[in-house]
Amino acid sequence: MVRITRKVEFSASHMYHNPAFSAEENRRVFGKCNNPHGHGHNYTLEVTVAGEPDPQTGMVLDLKELKEILQQEVVDRMDHRHLNYEVPELAGKIPTCENVASLIWTLLDPRITKGHLHRVRLYESDDLYADVTEDAPPSGAEGNRS
Amino acid sequence: MKVSLTRRYKFAAAHRLHAPALSDQENRRIYGKCNNPYGHGHNYEVSVTVTGPVDRATGMIANLGELDPFVNREVVDAFDHKNLNEEIPVFQTVVPTTENLCREVFRRLQSFPAARLERVRIEETSKNSFEVTSDRDGPESR
C-alpha cells in the first residue's frame, strides 16, 4: 500500500451564523466568526489517496488526474467564493473547517477510481486543520495492534 | 467518515536532560549536549487533535472558544517561559524529554469535556516531533 498526497490552495470567505440561535447566542458561540459581513481564509487542502502502484505506470493515481479532479470539485466550486452563499452543498450548514472538509470528502470520494480516498486535510490557517478519514474498522476486524 | 480537528499552540521553555539514577559520565554519554547543567531551551509547537461528532447546530467538533482557553490554561500558560525541570512538578522526578512532555501534555488535556482527545504531537524543533495518541478503546495508559 502506498499513499500519495496532493496539495491545493483556495481562498474563500465565510461567516458562522445559526438562524435558530438568538443574535446574542450567535455572538457567544461563534465569536468574531459571527461578523455578519463575513471574513476569509487562504485554505490549504491536502488530499491523500492510498493504493497499490499500477505495475505498468508505477503510479497509484496519476497526480495530473488528481490535480484535475481537485480543480473541478474544489477549486472551481470554492475559490474566491463566499461559502455561505455560493456553495449550495453547504446550504443549511455552518461552513466550519469540519463541515467544509466533510463536503470535500463527499465530493472527492466517488471521483477517486484508482486507489481509494484515504484522508482529506483542510487547513484554515497554519494553526488549525480538520481531518476527514474513513471510519475506523470495527475493533478486531482489521490489523493487529499488539 | 470520521472527522477530527487539530489546533496548534506554541510555548518556549528551558529544560535539561539528566537522569539522577545514572552517573554524570553516563548522563553525558546518553544525553550529550542536552545534559549541559545550565539547561537549554526550545520553541515547542504542540498540535492538539480532538475528535467526536460534529454538532449540527454549530458545525463544530469543539468550539475553539472553549478549546483555546482550556489548552492555554492547562499547558501554554503553565509551561511558557518556564524551566520544565524546576517549575513543573512531574519533571522533578521524570526526565523532561519530549516523549515525557507529550505524555504530560496529554494527561493535562484529556479531561477536556467537549470532545475526545485523540492525539498530542509536539515539535521540539522543526526536525523532530513526538506523538502520543489515545488507545482505540480509551485514553493512553501510563
Side-chain angles (χ1 to χ4, degrees):
Chain A
M1 172 81 77
V2 179
R3 293 177 189 150
I4 63 170
T5 300
R6 179 96 198 172
K7 182 159 77 169
V8 68
E9 296 175 343
F10 62 93
S11 303
S13 54
H14 70 173
M15 53 92 81
Y16 296 171
H17 181 85
N18 185 333
F21 292 169
S22 67
E24 188 189 357
E25 204 172 3
N26 269 296
R27 278 193 298 276
R28 183 180 60 76
V29 173
F30 297 125
K32 59 187 176 184
C33 298
N34 184 236
N35 171 13
H37 304 292
H39 62 282
H41 298 284
N42 296 322
Y43 290 90
T44 299
L45 173 67
E46 293 175 0
V47 173
T48 302
V49 174
E52 294 297 333
D54 181 310
Q56 299 295 323
T57 64
M59 298 173 180
V60 174
L61 166 65
D62 190 331
L63 282 172
K64 290 197 301 292
E65 203 177 320
L66 182 55
K67 182 182 178 185
E68 184 57 34
I69 293 169
L70 296 181
Q71 180 71 32
Q72 292 168 4
E73 297 295 344
V74 180
V75 179
D76 291 351
R77 191 179 253 111
M78 300 183 186
D79 188 38
H80 286 73
R81 301 286 171 82
H82 195 301
L83 300 179
N84 298 68
Y85 304 127
E86 297 182 274
V87 180
E89 294 87 349
L90 288 168
K93 291 183 174 172
I94 314 291
T96 57
C97 207
E98 294 95 314
N99 276 341
V100 178
S102 297
L103 170 62
I104 290 171
W105 175 282
T106 304
L107 293 169
L108 294 180
D109 194 35
R111 297 290 311 271
I112 307 298
T113 54
K114 295 174 190 151
H116 66 274
L117 188 57
H118 174 74
R119 188 182 72 193
V120 164
R121 173 170 287 183
L122 181 65
Y123 283 87
E124 192 179 88
S125 72
D126 288 345
D127 292 332
L128 181 70
Y129 64 79
D131 275 346
V132 181
T133 52
E134 294 168 282
D135 283 325
S139 186
E142 187 183 301
N144 184 346
R145 291 168 51 85
S146 62
Chain B
M1 78 181 70
K2 178 187 166 215
V3 187
S4 67
L5 184 75
T6 299
R7 179 76 151 162
R8 185 171 66 169
Y9 304 87
K10 299 175 184 181
F11 65 86
H15 74 167
R16 180 201 183 199
L17 302 187
H18 181 87
L22 302 175
S23 69
D24 286 351
Q25 189 184 4
E26 277 177 306
N27 268 297
R28 277 194 298 276
R29 183 178 61 78
I30 292 171
Y31 295 121
K33 60 187 177 183
C34 297
N35 185 239
N36 171 13
Y38 300 104
H40 62 283
H42 298 285
N43 295 320
Y44 292 95
E45 298 193 0
V46 182
S47 293
V48 176
T49 301
V50 294
T51 186
V54 178
D55 186 305
R56 291 183 65 87
T58 64
M60 299 172 177
I61 293 172
N63 194 330
L64 295 178
E66 297 172 13
L67 183 64
D68 284 353
F70 183 82
V71 177
N72 284 332
R73 185 181 73 236
E74 296 295 328
V75 174
V76 179
D77 294 347
F79 293 173
D80 190 35
H81 285 72
K82 298 284 174 68
N83 183 311
L84 299 179
N85 303 63
E86 304 292 334
E87 297 180 88
I88 307 299
V90 67
F91 296 126
Q92 290 175 5
T93 53
V94 172
V95 182
T97 58
T98 307
E99 291 92 326
N100 283 332
L101 183 60
C102 268
R103 288 183 142 177
E104 175 62 10
V105 170
F106 195 99
R107 188 189 69 76
R108 287 171 177 245
L109 296 182
Q110 65 184 351
S111 63
F112 180 62
R116 190 173 78 88
L117 181 64
E118 182 173 79
R119 186 178 67 219
V120 166
R121 171 187 163 91
I122 301 182
E123 291 182 44
E124 187 182 63
T125 71
S126 61
K127 292 177 182 166
N128 60 37
S129 65
F130 304 82
E131 285 185 10
V132 170
T133 52
S134 64
D135 289 333
R136 185 177 294 181
D137 299 320
E140 197 226 12
S141 54
R142 301 198 60 176

